[in-house]
């Protein structure tokens, strides 16, 4: 800090030179943006004051320097020093300096002097202790320094400091406002000049900042000194501010000016001379700067509310309606007009809340019309203005005040508005000659037609505004009077092409609500024409608008279709809609075809065919998914569902219009075959084609739900199965629109496309690149939307046939077309959805043999194709991402081939049957998942193609022996082997090594069972580990939906265990008797097994199997019968019984003649034989025994005992081990009762099954059981199931049927072999007494307790499992006959011989066999999927199904405890009980051996039981127990 004190020395100190002051811009920046928050602009410049001495010294020094007018430089320097230190000085010093420095600011001195003077004034103005006099003096100096406008910013700075930023300016008024107005002009000029000079810099100059600060100063001055403002001052200031707003684009200038204007308007009345320019500039700035829009609206609110409310509002309206004149192209005028629109919108939105009266609605409308007619010279400017006008209207319509005005106003002006808006957006009105006949009375006459909108003249913003207008009108539409509603309809007719669909449909609803298109309206036909042409045919209109129009047209048709003259007019008007329509919109195409298909039912054939051709053309449309612009919930049809409508039309024509149905069928084939058609559209066609069936008379029908769920699950086409795969995204609702994205196609591995393939076929091929695409969600799924658009007719069509007839009123379908189509799809592949749909649904359709019985050549081609694909591994590869493999496709192909077995009898040549069996053989080993299906098919081939099976038997058995490790196939393999054993025609050429293979398979499964049981530590129960699923899975675990229930899985291994022994038994008996003994040793060796301890185990089942071989190894005569009479009479007959090994031997001997009857009871059967010792006459010299008196004796005196017979047949003098000695049975009640029980146990396994006939149309249990007879086919079937036997007096087990009084009928059918017996409970053969037993409970008493029921279903309806209510009916074998009229073999022979066949057709029966199980059971049958069986093979096939099912159910029924015990095992257990009870307890016949008869004293002998160790000594050709040699020799102990 310089030192200004006075030194006492004579030489004064030289003052320190002050540093140069800040630059002008720096000074202005500090002025424009003062620091601090106290409100004082001087806070940042306050310094410590001088002491009095310092002040006095500084005063003397500065005054002295300034007083020397000759030293210019010293004066300037002194003034600059004063500027820097002035704030430290006292007020007196300030006044002294001002006095001597006046000339430096007022005279025309040099520039540096003037700059220093102005800087001094600016610095002095900030002094905090200036009084009013000093301020006035300083203000005078500041105003006089304005000779040069370049100092205006400094002057503004000084004024700002002097007035403390406008807060202390009262003493200077009113001169201050006038000076400020002058500064505004000069500062604005300076700021503009600065902007022009600094073009490239982005920062604001000092001049710009000064202007901003000056505007802020003015705002504060007006606020604090408003009382001095009069009209002149406000006019002057507003004029200056309006000029600034009109001539600047700088946001800071506009913001400051608008703030000042707002302050003036708030504090003073606006003079009339500036009102219009002020309103104009507020509108201008409102549009120009959105940031300032709120400020400008507040200004106008103040003007309208406080003062000239009407004048200002009229000025706003005039800005819209007054022609622009010379301002036509001026930017200011354009922006002012647009700003006026914004201000009007604001006024109507908030005016009433502020107490502002809005103009009448009519005046507003006229003003808007005027705005719409303004031409701004450029198209883009016109569009912007029009858009703003429309947006304003849209906003106004939503305002409650406007809505009230709309309700209260006269709407006569609205018609003019419609025309103006139409002109604005490019809609031209014209009238067409075709409406000349319309009566003028029609309220929509003058708005009947409009030309196309010029799309180039409508911007997106304009369209959005128009849509908003329409929505606003529609919101109040329902509350309007009819007259006003009519006007709204006029507006929407013009804007229907633009309005939102929900809004534009008001016009259609208007016509509907007022019944304008329905008779008896006198103009209904003219209105209908308008609706058709303007509502639908106008493709420029919104799709949903057109849709509603079409919907109304459809309703009109439903209303008038029964009135011929009206229907004719309707067809003339609306038929062209279909014939000339060229739609690219899929949704509208769908509705149009749906409409066409409605009235096509009632048209004549020429019109029908014309419309049908056009509809088929629609089917190839692809369109764009976005063409409708609709949400999926607003419009149902989102893809080209033309085929779906054709399907509905087919169903409607099926019953009574066969020719139309045939034509539709042909076109659906065309659509399905066209690879250019959308996949979903093709699928719609396939969904009908795959559901076509026919009855025995050839009458066609359509099934609602085909039997395809099982196959669909294999390819994950059910929701339950698909949920197991991660590839499927649950959407539920996948909608395909327009052109489809590339979809993976099924590709055949190892297939050469070949140049000889047609182009269309080659296009359906897949490439590796396509297969790598991510698999989209499937287009079809079960359960899902109904496969058909409506339920099919319940009854078959008697007019549409599956074959050509001579009746002209009937028509037939070209079924070879369909067969060729599906064969091509199977051959060439294509889209996976198409291929998989055919693959899954074709087998079900082919089960309807009557449908294709006369088209065998096409079926044969399909058969050959499938066989080749399977044999040569030309299987299509499923797309990547589906989770499927070739084996899954092969599985479906095998299902198809299994169905084709039923057609094999018609194939030529017969050698094709061999290829069929070979194809199944490949599937047994190549693909894991196909083995089971192929084994089931081979089981059917055993019945249908026994010769072909016989030829391939060696390969079949080898294949099966190779897959026994796959335990999930055990049941299927063993059932197949058991079935094969009962069909000698299928193994005529079997060899010894093949028999060993069969026994090896059985033993292998027994070892698996025993191993699992041993691992589980269960050596007593016969229930092994859980069965594996019937899916092995190629790369993943089987899905749970295909797993059998948990309890069921427990019982399946027990079933496999039982089947293995059954298989050994059946095949041992199938061996010729000469060769049986060769296999006994190997079988017996493998029937035994060792437990964990190494002990030899021989199970009960093994024991009875060995017992069976023991009985039949050298005997093939079957069972013996008990002799009809005793060997002797009276007391001469002696009977004794022994337990010998595991048999009970009864010997009855005539003591005189020696005739003996021997009964040997074994587990596997009872043998009756006769024994007689041939004794001759004794020689004459023979001497009798010493204990006999010889005199008078004859030969009749000789006696013989059963013991002798036993010794002769069973013993020598060799010692017999005690444990093996026969056990004599006492003649007591217990033994008698035990033998009686034993004899009641059958020697074969007994089974029962109900055989129930279901007649035509029968669905309920009582009416079914009430049948007392069946059809001829049913009787034939029964005869094949077994033999008709009489019940009364029957000696076999009738399974509960009465054998005494014919209570259950006189006869039944039964079947038996050496191992199994099955008795059938047949309600039609039981007495029927509906009077006393209307529910037929006497019949249900039997069938309701049968585990298995065979249902011969001729009802014509699919059988439902719950039809029969029973807790025991686990398995229903449903046999559905199909009668087919075919050309007999004689016809073919005649044709081959060149002769014409003149005979008729013969009836041929085929049967569909399917096993339906209780849901709790696992899949236990090869017929779980329907099989087609010929009449010849049916009884044997079904009988074996029933026997296997019964065995399983017997095992299943014991799941809660215990185990299934066969009859042989039951007999064995009875023998064991007797043995254990009487072993070693018999009293010796030799009384010389005391102590042998009591348990307490056995003479050292012990009682042996199974499992005991025994040691003996070989002696005399036998074995004797150590220490008990004599006992081993004493045969009397056991005789």
């Amino acid at each position: 800090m310089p030192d200004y004190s006075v030194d006492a020395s004579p030489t004064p100190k030289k003052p320190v030179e002050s540093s140069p002051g800040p630059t002008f811009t720096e000074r202005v920046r500090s002025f424009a943006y003062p620091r601090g928050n106290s409100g004082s602009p001087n806070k940042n410049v306050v310094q410590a004051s001088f002491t009095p001495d310092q002040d006095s010294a500084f005063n003397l020094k500065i005054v002295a320097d300034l007083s020397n007018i000759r030293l210019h430089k010293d004066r300037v320097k002194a003034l600059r020093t004063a500027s820097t230190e002035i704030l430290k000085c006292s007020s007196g010093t300030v006044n002294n300096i001002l006095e001597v420095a006046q000339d430096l600011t007022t005279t025309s001195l040099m520039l540096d002097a003037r700059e220093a003077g102005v800087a001094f004034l600016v610095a002095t103005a900030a002094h905090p202790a200036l009084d009013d006099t000093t301020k006035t003096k300083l203000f005078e100096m500041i105003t006089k320094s304005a000779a040069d406008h370049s100092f205006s910013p400094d002057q503004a700075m000084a004024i700002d400091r002097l007035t403390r930023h406008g807060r202390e300016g009262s003493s200077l008024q009113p001169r201050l406002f006038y000076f400020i107005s002058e500064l505004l002009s000069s500062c604005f000029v300076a700021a503009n000049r600065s902007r022009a000079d600094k073009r490239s810099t982005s920062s604001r100059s000092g001049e710009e900042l000064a202007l901003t600060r000056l505007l802020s100063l003015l705002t504060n001055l007006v606020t604090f000194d408003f009382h001095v403002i009069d009209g002149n001052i406000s006019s002057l200031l507003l004029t200056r501010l309006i000029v600034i707003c009109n001539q600047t684009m700088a946001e800071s200038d506009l913001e400051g000016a608008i703030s000042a204007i707002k302050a003036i308007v708030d504090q003073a009345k606006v003079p009339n001379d500036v009102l219009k320019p002020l309103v104009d500039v507020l509108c201008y700035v409102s549009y120009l700067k959105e940031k300032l829009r709120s400020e400008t609206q507040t200004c106008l609110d103040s003007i309208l509310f406080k003062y000239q409310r009407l004048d200002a509002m009229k000025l706003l309206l005039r800005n819209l309606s007054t022609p622009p004149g010379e301002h036509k192209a001026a930017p200011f005028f354009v922006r002012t007009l647009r700003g006026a629109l914004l201000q009007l919108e604001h006024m109507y939105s908030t005016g009433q809340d502020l107490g502002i009266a809005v103009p009448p609605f009519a005046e507003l409308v006229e003003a808007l019309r005027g705005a719409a007619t303004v031409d701004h010279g450029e198209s883009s400017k016109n569009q912007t203005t029009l858009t703003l006008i429309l947006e304003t209207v849209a906003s106004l319509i939503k305002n409650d005040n406007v809505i009230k005005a709309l309700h209260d106003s006269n709407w006569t002006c609205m018609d003019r508005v419609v025309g103006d808006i139409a002109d604005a957006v490019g809609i031209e009105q014209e009238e067409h000659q075709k409406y000349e006949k319309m009566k003028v009375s029609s309220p929509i006459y003058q708005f009947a037609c409009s030309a196309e909108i010029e799309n180039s003249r409508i911007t997106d913003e304009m369209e959005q505004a128009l849509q908003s207008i329409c929505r606003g009108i529609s919101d109040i539409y329902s509350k309007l009077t009819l007259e006003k509603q009519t006007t709204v309809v006029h507006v929407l007719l013009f804007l229907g092409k633009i309005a939102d669909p929900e809004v534009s449909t008001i016009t259609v609803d208007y016509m509907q609500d007022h019944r304008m298109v329905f008779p008896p309206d006198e103009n209904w036909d003219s209105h209908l024409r308008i609706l058709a042409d303007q509502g639908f045919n106008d493709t420029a209109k919104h799709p949903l608008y057109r849709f509603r129009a079409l919907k109304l047209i459809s309703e009109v048709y439903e209303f008038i279709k029964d009135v011929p003259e009206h229907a004719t007019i309707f067809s003339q008007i609306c038929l062209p809609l279909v014939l000339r329509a060229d739609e690219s919109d899929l949704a509208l195409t769908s509705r149009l075809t749906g409409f066409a298909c409605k009235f096509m039912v009632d048209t004549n054939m020429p019109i029908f065919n014309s419309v049908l051709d056009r509809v088929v053309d629609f089917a190839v449309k692809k369109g764009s998914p976005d063409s409708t612009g609709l949400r999926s919930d607003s419009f149902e049809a989102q893809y080209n569902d033309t085929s779906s409508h054709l399907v509905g039309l087919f169903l409607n024509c099926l019953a009574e219009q066969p020719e139309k149905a045939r034509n539709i069928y042909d076109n659906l084939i065309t659509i399905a075959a066209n690879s250019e058609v959308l996949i979903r559209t093709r699928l719609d066609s396939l969904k009908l084609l795959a559901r076509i069936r026919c009855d025995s008379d050839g009458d066609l029908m359509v099934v609602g739900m085909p039997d395809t769920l099982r196959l669909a699950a294999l390819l994950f086409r059910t929701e339950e199965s698909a949920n197991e795969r991660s590839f499927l995204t649950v959407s539920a609702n996948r909608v395909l629109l327009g052109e489809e994205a590339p979809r993976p196609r099924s590709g055949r591995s190892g297939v050469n496309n070949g140049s000889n393939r047609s182009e269309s076929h080659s296009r359906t091929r897949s490439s590796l690149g396509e297969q790598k695409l991510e698999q989209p969600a499937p287009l079809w799924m079960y359960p899902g939307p109904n496969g058909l658009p409506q339920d099919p007719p319940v009854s078959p069509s008697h007019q549409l046939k599956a074959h050509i007839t001579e009746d002209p009123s009937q028509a037939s379908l070209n079924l070879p077309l369909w067969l060729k189509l599906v064969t091509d799809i199977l051959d060439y592949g294509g889209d996976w959805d198409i291929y998989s749909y055919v693959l899954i649904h074709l087998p079900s359709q082919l089960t309807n043999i009557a449908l294709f019985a006369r088209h065998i050549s096409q079926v044969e081609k399909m058969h050959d194709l499938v066989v080749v694909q399977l044999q040569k591994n030309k299987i299509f590869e499923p797309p990547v991402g589906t989770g499927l493999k070739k084996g899954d496709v092969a599985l479906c192909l095998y299902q198809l081939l299994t169905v084709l077995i039923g057609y094999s009898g018609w194939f030529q040549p017969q050698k094709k049957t061999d290829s069929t069996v070979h194809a199944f053989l490949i599937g047994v080993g190549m693909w894991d998942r196909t083995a089971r299906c192929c084994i089931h098919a081979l089981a059917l081939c055993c019945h249908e193609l026994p010769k072909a099976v016989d030829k391939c038997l060696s390969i079949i058995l080898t294949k099966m022996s190779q897959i026994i490790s796959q335990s999930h196939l055990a049941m299927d393999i063993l059932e197949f082997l058991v079935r094969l054993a009962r069909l000698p025609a299928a193994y005529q050429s079997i060899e010894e090594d093949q028999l060993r293979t069969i026994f090896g398979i059985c033993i292998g499964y027994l070892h698996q069972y025993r191993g699992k049981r041993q691992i589980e530590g269960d050596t007593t129960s016969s229930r092994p580990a859980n069965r594996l699923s019937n899916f092995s899975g190629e790369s993943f675990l089987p899905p749970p939906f295909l797993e059998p229930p948990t309890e069921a899985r427990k019982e399946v291994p027990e079933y496999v265990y039982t089947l293995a022994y059954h298989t050994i038994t059946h095949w041992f008996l199938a061996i010729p008797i000469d060769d049986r003994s060769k296999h006994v040793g190997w079988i017996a060796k493998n029937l035994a097994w060792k437990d964990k301890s190494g002990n030899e185990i021989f199970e009960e089942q093994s024991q009875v199997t060995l017992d069976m071989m023991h009985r039949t190894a050298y005997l093939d005569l079957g069972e013996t019968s008990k002799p009809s009479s005793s060997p002797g009479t009276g007391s001469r007959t002696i009977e004794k019984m022994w337990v010998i090994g595991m048999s009970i031997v009864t010997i009855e001997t005539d003591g005189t003649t020696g005739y003996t009857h021997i009964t040997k009871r074994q587990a596997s059967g009872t043998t009756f034989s006769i024994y007689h010792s041939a004794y001759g006459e004794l020689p004459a010299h023979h001497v009798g025994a010493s204990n006999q008196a010889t005199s008078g004796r004859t030969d009749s005196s000789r006696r013989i005992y059963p013991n002798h017979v036993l010794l002769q047949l069973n013993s020598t003098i060799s010692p017999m081990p005690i444990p093996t000695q026969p056990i004599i049975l006492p003649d007591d009640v217990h033994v008698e009762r035990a033998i009686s029980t034993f004899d009641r146990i059958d020697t074969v396994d007994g089974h029962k099954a109900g055989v129930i006939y279901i007649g035509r149309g029968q669905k309920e249990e009582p009416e079914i059981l009430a049948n007392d007879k069946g059809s001829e086919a049913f009787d034939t079937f029964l005869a094949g199931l077994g033999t008709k036997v009489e019940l009364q007096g029957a000696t076999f087990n009738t399974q509960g049927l009465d054998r005494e009084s014919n209570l259950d009928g006189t006869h039944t059918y039964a079947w038996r072999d050496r191992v199994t017996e099955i008795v059938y409970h047949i309600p039609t053969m039981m007495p029927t007494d509906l009077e006393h037993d209307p529910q037929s409970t006497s019949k249900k008493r039997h069938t309701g307790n049968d585990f298995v029921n065979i249902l011969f279903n001729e009802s014509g309806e699919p059988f439902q499992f719950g039809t029969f209510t029973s807790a025991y009916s686990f398995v229903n074998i449903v046999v559905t006959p199909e009668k087919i009229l075919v050309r007999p073999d004689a016809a073919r022979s005649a044709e081959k011989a060149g002769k014409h066949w003149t005979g008729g057709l013969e009836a041929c029966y085929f049967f569909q066999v399917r096993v339906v199980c209780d849901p709790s059971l696992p899949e236990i049958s090869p017929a779980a999927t329907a099989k087609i069986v010929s009449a010849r093979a049916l009884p044997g096939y079904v009988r074996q199904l029933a026997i296997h099912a019964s065995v399983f159910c017997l095992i299943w029924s014991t799941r809660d405890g215990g185990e299934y015990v066969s009859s042989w095992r039951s007999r064995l257990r009875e023998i064991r009980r007797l043995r254990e009870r009487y072993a070693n307890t018999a009293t010796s016949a030799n009384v010389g051996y005391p102590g042998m008869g009591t348990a307490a004293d056995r003479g050292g002998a012990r009682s042996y039981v199974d499992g005991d160790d025994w040691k003996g000594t070989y002696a005399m050709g036998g074995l004797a127990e150590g220490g008990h040699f004599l006992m081993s020799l004493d045969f009397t102990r056991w005789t």
Side-chain angles (χ1 to χ4, degrees), residues 544-675:
L544 187 56
Y545 177 82
R546 301 177 63 208
F547 158 67
R548 293 290 296 274
L550 187 59
K551 182 180 179 182
L552 180 55
I553 293 173
S554 300
E555 293 177 6
V556 173
Y557 170 72
E558 294 294 332
F559 183 79
I560 56 91
K561 66 180 181 180
D562 296 328
V563 181
E565 58 271 20
H566 291 167
T568 301
I569 296 174
F570 180 89
S571 298
Q572 293 172 351
I573 296 173
C574 297
L575 186 60
L577 292 180
V578 182
L579 297 180
R580 75 184 181 207
D582 187 15
E583 288 295 334
S584 61
D585 188 285
L586 289 180
L588 286 173
T589 299
S590 167
R591 294 304 180 187
L592 182 59
T593 55
F595 160 70
C597 291
K598 275 187 177 181
F599 77 85
M600 286 170 65
V601 177
D602 301 319
T603 59
N604 56 42
M605 282 306 298
I607 294 179
F608 176 88
N609 290 330
S610 299
V611 177
L612 180 61
D613 292 341
R614 193 72 183 103
V615 170
V616 174
D617 290 341
F618 290 153
V620 301
K621 299 287 185 183
K622 293 190 176 181
S624 169
D626 298 324
S627 60
T628 62
L630 300 173
R631 301 183 303 273
S632 59
D633 58 348
S634 299
F635 208 75
E636 181 182 353
Q638 294 287 315
Y639 72 97
N640 190 341
D641 58 352
T642 302
S643 291
S644 179
H645 294 303
L646 286 176
V647 168
L649 181 60
F650 177 90
L651 296 175
N652 291 331
C653 297
L654 179 62
E656 298 179 357
Q657 302 188 66
E659 188 176 354
K660 290 182 179 180
R662 179 184 60 191
N663 292 355
I664 299 169
Y665 165 85
D666 292 342
N667 283 281
L668 288 174
I669 292 284
T670 302
I671 293 172
N674 189 344
S675 61

Side-chain angles (χ1 to χ4, degrees), residues 497-510:
K497 303 176 183 180
I498 297 175
D500 288 342
E502 293 84 356
V503 176
S504 60
T505 53
I506 288 179
T507 58
V508 180
D509 294 338
Y510 181 84

Side-chain angles (χ1 to χ4, degrees), residues 711-787:
L711 273 182
L714 297 179
L715 296 187
F716 302 110
R717 291 291 177 152
T718 63
E719 286 186 2
E720 191 176 6
S721 61
N723 287 338
E724 300 299 320
R725 306 302 305 160
S726 60
F727 81 94
L728 182 61
T729 301
V730 179
S731 86
N733 300 317
R734 180 189 182 279
V735 181
L736 181 67
L737 291 173
E739 180 64 34
E740 295 175 333
R743 297 179 57 80
R745 298 171 179 265
S746 55
R748 185 191 298 164
S749 112
V751 178
N752 186 356
N753 287 345
S755 59
N756 60 333
R757 296 276 166 85
S758 66
E759 182 181 356
S760 62
H761 289 158
S762 65
R763 282 198 300 267
T764 65
R765 293 280 184 183
S766 65
S767 65
L768 292 177
E770 286 176 317
Q771 291 187 40
K772 292 179 182 179
L773 293 173
E774 183 179 357
Q775 177 70 3
L779 293 181
W780 66 274
M781 182 71 66
Y782 286 115
N786 292 331

Side-chain angles (χ1 to χ4, degrees), residues 1071-1079 1113-1114 1116:
I1071 302 173
I1073 191 171
D1074 295 337
D1075 299 325
R1076 290 178 186 172
S1077 59
K1078 300 177 184 178
H1079 300 274
Y1114 302 102
D1116 206 18

Side-chain angles (χ1 to χ4, degrees), residues 1444-1459:
H1444 286 159
S1446 179
V1447 173
F1448 179 86
C1449 291
L1450 288 170
I1451 296 172
W1452 168 259
S1453 64
T1454 63
R1455 66 189 182 279
D1456 294 331
E1459 59 179 327

